[in-house]
Amino acid sequence: MKPWDVGLESVIRVEKVSLVGPGVLILTGPSSCGKGQVANAICKLLSVDQKHHLSMGEILRSSTALYRQGEFPAHLEADIEDYFRLSMAGMERENESLRSKVVQNLEGLSSYFKKAVDLDQLRGMDWLEYSTYNGLLIPNHWTEILLEHHIDQLLASNPRSTLILDGYPRTIEAAQHLIAYFKRVNLPILKVIHLSISREEMLRRATIRGREDDSIAAIYRRFEFYVEKVHPSIDYLKEVLGSDKVALVDAHQPVYETKGNGEKELDVKKSILRICVSSLRALGVPRIVIADLLATYEI
């Protein structure tokens, strides 16, 4: 105990802190590890505008929904017409591996869209939707176009934005593109938070949330993809950015409340807060400041 601590009670509370930006905080990890919930909580705790939280999964899902509603941005359609409007049959010369993957999934595509599907009928956006909801790899160029579009819009209104990006990058190639793109727009990567859970915990969480794209087969494919592709992309970021820029955080920190009948029930809010505390510590926020923030903010 320091001499000046004796008999003194703090009359100061830290009610607001913020990320030192502009820049980007990246949250990555396997599907169902809680990236979105943690990102939303960090936005509140670190005074980041919720509009500046970009979820790659949500970008993909909302893009396909807008396309179905005829509201896909006109200027974006023009930029990527060859990718999202051209039939998959027309991509044969450009990307044989992509065409081959589509052919392998024609039966699944027909089942998903509830009609017979062939290469002449299938559009790029159809494949994007099917891949998104079935845990398949989406071509890097497509995700790059959509992500750049969303970030460019934010930077146009506020060039010194502080962003939180979750669910991206997912491959080494995507990580390379992301680093190059952020350099081009002069937006540094502040930190990479790698949230980690086991395959069993991933399956349990996905089963509970019951999202449309959470079939057991898709969940297992996502975890295999995480091991084979996402994890190496995180290692790549560590090599390029430096190990101090990448922090591993245990995303399985359950808090249980005992009910009146003696049964234990998971307290999701407190569990998320535990993960947030670990994430804030990884960002260098002192424990005493974290305690003040948690007492101030309702998450």
Side-chain angles (χ1 to χ4, degrees):
M1 180 180 292
K2 297 181 178 62
W4 52 83
D5 288 336
V6 179
L8 294 180
E9 182 179 345
S10 175
V11 293
I12 297 175
R13 169 178 286 176
V14 178
E15 295 189 345
K16 184 176 181 180
V17 297
S18 61
L19 287 170
V20 179
V24 182
L25 170 64
I26 296 175
L27 292 178
T28 187
S31 175
S32 304
C33 70
K35 295 184 291 291
Q37 290 171 298
V38 173
N40 286 331
I42 288 179
C43 279
K44 294 181 180 179
L45 289 166
L46 299 184
S47 309
V48 177
D49 190 331
Q50 287 285 352
K51 293 179 181 178
H52 291 179
H53 167 210
L54 297 173
S55 163
M56 194 67 235
E58 183 55 35
I59 287 174
L60 294 174
R61 287 186 290 273
S62 63
S63 295
T64 58
L66 288 173
Y67 179 79
R68 295 297 166 213
Q69 297 166 16
E71 299 176 7
F72 208 56
H75 67 280
L76 190 55
E77 290 175 1
D79 290 342
I80 58 178
E81 184 173 2
D82 286 346
Y83 294 95
F84 289 167
R85 286 190 176 278
L86 187 67
S87 73
M88 299 305 290
M91 293 187 180
E92 179 177 0
R93 293 184 299 276
E94 176 191 326
N95 193 331
E96 178 60 31
S97 63
L98 174 59
R99 183 178 183 275
S100 176
K101 185 179 292 187
V102 173
V103 170
Q104 293 171 12
N105 282 272
L106 282 177
E107 184 176 341
L109 284 158
S110 297
S111 175
Y112 178 83
F113 288 110
K114 296 181 173 57
K115 63 179 181 180
V117 172
D118 60 34
L119 291 179
D120 289 322
Q121 298 171 322
L122 191 71
R123 304 296 172 183
M125 186 57 78
D126 298 323
W127 178 249
L128 177 68
E129 178 179 339
Y130 177 78
S131 299
T132 298
Y133 285 95
N134 288 275
L136 300 181
L137 177 61
I138 294 163
N140 281 323
H141 188 58
W142 297 12
T143 54
E144 290 167 9
I145 289 171
L146 292 170
L147 182 64
E148 285 189 21
H149 168 68
H150 281 76
I151 295 178
D152 287 346
Q153 282 188 317
L154 288 174
L155 295 181
S157 59
N158 185 357
R160 296 187 59 79
S161 294
T162 300
L163 309 177
I164 294 181
L165 173 61
D166 87 62
Y168 194 86
R170 301 178 67 207
T171 64
I172 291 177
E173 293 79 7
Q176 292 170 334
H177 160 263
L178 197 64
I179 290 173
Y181 169 68
F182 283 149
K183 284 183 179 179
R184 191 165 71 247
V185 297
N186 196 28
L187 205 61
I189 296 175
L190 304 174
K191 196 84 170 184
V192 178
I193 302 293
H194 176 197
L195 301 175
S196 176
I197 58 172
S198 66
R199 186 179 69 171
E200 290 70 25
E201 178 62 14
M202 173 183 168
L203 178 61
R204 188 189 70 82
R205 294 186 186 187
T207 302
I208 291 174
R209 74 180 180 180
R211 204 172 64 192
E212 184 181 351
D213 55 339
D214 280 338
S215 69
I216 292 179
I219 292 167
Y220 279 123
R221 279 197 299 269
R222 288 189 205 122
F223 195 83
E224 290 173 3
F225 180 83
Y226 163 74
V227 172
E228 296 173 3
K229 298 289 185 179
V230 179
H231 207 286
S233 76
I234 298 167
D235 290 338
Y236 174 80
L237 290 173
K238 188 180 295 185
E239 292 175 10
V240 174
L241 302 175
S243 58
D244 60 320
K245 286 282 189 179
V246 181
L248 177 65
V249 171
D250 180 7
H252 185 207
Q253 301 186 48
V255 177
Y256 294 97
E257 294 291 335
T258 303
K259 299 164 63 176
N261 58 5
E263 292 184 3
K264 290 186 176 181
E265 184 178 75
L266 179 67
D267 189 318
V268 176
K269 175 182 173 181
K270 289 183 179 179
S271 299
I272 292 296
L273 284 179
R274 272 194 178 178
I275 302 168
C276 286
V277 168
S278 298
S279 300
L280 292 177
R281 290 290 294 151
L283 290 169
V285 183
R287 291 184 186 277
I288 190 169
V289 174
I290 294 174
D292 283 352
L293 292 175
L294 295 182
T296 301
Y297 287 85
E298 183 68 25
I299 298 177

